[in-house]
Amino acid sequence: MSKQQTAISKWEKTNPRAMAVRTLEKVRTGSYSNLELNAMIKQADLSERDIHFMTTMVYGVIQHRLTLEYWLKPFIKNPNRLDPWVRELFMISLFQWQYLDKVPKRAVFDEAINIAKKRGHDGIRRMVTGTLHAMDRQGLPDTDKITNPTERLSVQESLPIWIIDLLVEQYGVERTEKIAASINHAPAQSARVNTALASVDEAISDLEFEGFKVTRSEVSPVGLRLENGHAASSHAFEAGLITLQDEAAMLMVPSLEIAPDMRVLDAAAAPGGKTTQIATYLDATQGGSVDALDIHDHKVKLIAENAYRLGVADRVKAHSLDARKVDDAFENETFDRILVDAPCSGLGLLRRKPEIRYEKTLDDSRNLQKIQLEILNAVADKLKVGGRLVYGTCTFVNLENDDVIQKFLAAHSNFRIAKSMVELDLSIVDEQQLIHIMPDQYGTDGFFIATLERTEK
């Protein structure tokens, strides 16, 4: 049995660096970073401070992996032949040394050598010791000396070249540099106030009483940024006064312009953040309701649970259904409003899910465009004349955004682009009335929103 497959030992469970290595091994084999990190934290025996340190190392290595690999390459003849755990040990060591000012270099080196000794054999310990000392003696290679500007930016910001090329094509070199740098900033902890149960002022008061530092969102009037605590563990969360949601994601629902008595379709709804936001505009006593669809049963259950926690279950109906087969459940029915938060490449979420930068390709976006158009085509006939359909993605790839809208409109002359609603004074609506919000603007996820109106049958 190889070293990376052995059970986690007792000493590792008390060592944040060793547990970070374990987590990164799993992520490299396809596990989601947030899920794997949570699973490892549950197995560990760490203080809150060490959990924070372990989390910082895991996300830091994932965010900066291309840079770290560039630094390591001159010192290891065949880096791909290293045991996976040894490779990740070098990654966390380089990250601490170069990015964490408060961690002394001696502690970084000593701890790495200690882990190499305990988890490996004497040959690995000697190799790790020699490599770290060679790095210290010779210095790390300077990324500024990479002559190709695209490759240089790719290595410096740890973004694959195809993403750099795409951003340059869409935004130009100078803006791309700002976007790329912003992606590696830590994401803010954001929440949406559930106005079905509380006003924004009431939610802020409750959170501040619990010890949170609360800042109102610059992006959404119902958005908050929270510090000094874990929002999902708060009384305000448990009582349904808030729910976790990125500020940019809060922008889709207002463009629907919902009245209390409307019937709304949320075509790709899980985990229910936007479904429950839609529900805050509805009144069940006036016949207002939202039908929320998802293809997976367990996610449909999650939508229902969120609706119950937020006190809007009386106006939410969750269904296990592929939106492309909407006629199977709603053959002769129509809706006043339709929301399509489409499945997408998710590149706007790189702050929160940094590993996806290494997993996605442009072909993924091409394939996703087909699915996105299939969903739009399927739900289009379900919208009443004069009704609004809001389409959105959490990506910045035009193939999945502007191009999808243009292809849809070319095939549906009975739809037109309507102005997307932005409730605060933000510079995110283009000349076509489409919303593009990027991570470098307000510190949110990247998001695209288009509002369409059905003009005739």
Side-chain angles (χ1 to χ4, degrees):
M1 183 178 285
S2 64
K3 291 289 182 181
Q4 63 266 32
Q5 294 174 317
T6 57
I8 302 173
S9 59
K10 190 174 180 179
W11 70 267
E12 284 179 280
K13 292 181 180 181
T14 62
N15 187 311
R17 292 176 172 90
M19 291 303 286
V21 168
R22 287 280 185 178
T23 306
L24 288 162
E25 284 179 82
K26 291 279 192 177
V27 173
R28 287 286 276 178
T29 59
S31 297
Y32 289 114
S33 59
N34 59 333
L35 299 180
E36 197 56 51
L37 187 59
N38 289 338
M40 286 292 179
I41 287 170
K42 287 179 182 177
Q43 295 180 64
D45 183 17
L46 299 173
S47 66
E48 283 297 321
R49 182 180 178 182
D50 280 345
I51 288 172
H52 177 72
F53 182 39
M54 172 185 168
T55 302
T56 298
M57 285 186 286
V58 169
Y59 281 120
V61 166
I62 297 170
Q63 286 173 328
H64 299 284
R65 185 173 290 279
L66 296 184
T67 314
L68 302 174
E69 289 178 346
Y70 178 80
W71 286 333
L72 178 63
K73 189 175 180 180
F75 301 96
I76 301 290
K77 288 184 180 178
N78 295 299
N80 291 327
R81 293 181 63 183
L82 287 174
D83 279 349
W85 73 267
V86 178
R87 188 182 182 88
E88 299 311 317
L89 181 59
F90 279 125
M91 294 292 100
I92 70 159
S93 301
L94 281 165
F95 172 73
Q96 293 169 76
W97 180 20
Q98 295 300 309
Y99 291 100
L100 301 183
D101 296 338
K102 294 181 180 179
V103 181
K105 179 176 63 178
R106 182 174 178 179
V108 174
F109 286 17
D110 287 350
E111 285 293 325
I113 293 165
N114 183 48
I115 292 170
K117 178 182 177 181
K118 286 188 173 183
R119 192 169 167 186
H121 49 71
D122 198 51
I124 289 177
R125 179 193 62 79
R126 288 197 304 270
M127 185 271 290
V128 169
T129 303
T131 302
L132 290 173
H133 288 160
M135 290 176 180
D136 193 24
R137 244 186 355 261
Q138 298 174 32
L140 301 176
D142 186 354
T143 58
D144 284 336
K145 293 183 178 177
I146 301 173
T147 54
N148 183 297
T150 303
E151 183 186 349
R152 181 170 62 249
L153 187 57
S154 170
V155 171
Q156 288 176 337
E157 303 300 348
S158 205
L159 281 174
I161 285 175
W162 79 267
I163 295 179
I164 298 292
D165 285 339
L166 182 79
L167 287 169
V168 169
E169 179 186 335
Q170 294 181 188
Y171 293 100
V173 174
E174 187 176 342
R175 179 79 190 281
T176 294
E177 289 173 351
K178 292 178 181 177
I179 293 169
S182 74
I183 283 169
N184 289 326
H185 294 167
Q189 182 177 213
S190 60
R192 173 176 59 80
V193 176
N194 175 28
T195 53
L197 296 183
S199 69
V200 174
D201 286 340
E202 288 168 341
I204 290 173
S205 179
D206 196 291
L207 287 160
E208 288 181 339
F209 182 78
E210 291 188 69
F212 285 89
K213 179 184 176 183
V214 185
T215 307
R216 287 177 180 262
S217 170
E218 295 179 77
V219 174
S220 168
V222 293
L224 304 175
R225 288 195 174 192
L226 307 176
E227 298 176 58
N228 300 340
H230 183 231
S233 302
S234 67
H235 167 268
F237 182 87
E238 291 173 3
L241 307 187
I242 63 168
T243 193
L244 303 186
Q245 194 171 355
D246 184 76
E247 296 159 88
M250 300 175 201
L251 294 172
M252 280 190 77
V253 172
S255 282
L256 287 169
E257 297 189 357
I258 301 167
D261 62 347
M262 285 183 172
R263 189 175 184 202
V264 184
L265 176 68
D266 188 351
K274 297 176 188 70
T275 301
T276 53
Q277 188 178 0
I278 288 168
T280 64
Y281 292 84
L282 299 171
D283 185 340
T285 65
Q286 297 184 43
S289 68
V290 51
D291 288 278
L293 314 182
D294 195 86
I295 198 169
H296 301 291
D297 288 340
H298 69 282
K299 290 186 177 181
V300 172
K301 184 181 177 184
L302 188 59
I303 295 168
E305 288 171 353
N306 279 329
Y308 178 78
R309 179 177 64 83
L310 296 169
V312 294
D314 62 337
R315 63 211 89 161
V316 174
K317 302 171 187 175
H319 309 266
S320 179
L321 182 67
D322 186 332
R324 292 171 292 182
K325 299 178 180 179
V326 67
D327 266 339
D328 290 357
F330 304 100
E331 185 176 0
N332 298 311
E333 300 177 58
T334 56
F335 295 85
D336 300 290
R337 301 287 188 264
I338 296 177
L339 186 83
V340 177
D341 183 12
C344 70
S345 58
L347 291 175
L349 308 178
L350 286 176
R351 277 204 191 98
R352 300 180 194 281
K353 298 180 179 179
E355 68 272 19
I356 65 175
R357 71 186 76 193
Y358 312 116
E359 300 167 358
K360 302 294 182 181
T361 67
L362 206 53
D363 279 341
D364 292 321
S365 291
R366 293 188 182 100
N367 293 329
L368 282 161
Q369 186 190 82
K370 296 172 186 175
I371 296 170
Q372 291 154 355
L373 284 166
E374 286 171 1
I375 292 173
L376 284 174
N377 290 335
V379 303
D381 284 343
K382 297 299 165 191
L383 186 65
K384 293 178 180 177
V385 174
R388 284 188 158 219
L389 186 160
V390 174
Y391 171 88
T393 71
C394 50
T395 190
F396 46 71
V397 183
N398 278 348
L399 268 172
E400 303 176 58
N401 297 338
D402 305 62
D403 292 358
V404 167
I405 297 305
Q406 292 308 317
K407 287 189 176 186
F408 175 79
L409 292 174
H412 296 81
S413 59
N414 56 339
F415 278 79
R416 68 176 184 87
I417 294 177
K419 185 176 182 179
S420 294
M421 177 188 290
V422 179
E423 296 170 288
L424 301 180
D425 185 19
L426 307 177
S427 300
I428 57 174
V429 183
D430 68 15
E431 62 277 2
Q432 294 185 71
Q433 306 306 317
L434 305 174
I435 290 175
H436 296 264
I437 184 167
M438 294 295 288
D440 64 318
Q441 291 174 287
Y442 301 97
T444 69
D445 292 342
F447 225 90
F448 169 82
I449 301 169
T451 304
L452 304 175
E453 189 175 280
R454 186 170 186 178
T455 56
E456 57 186 67
K457 283 193 175 183

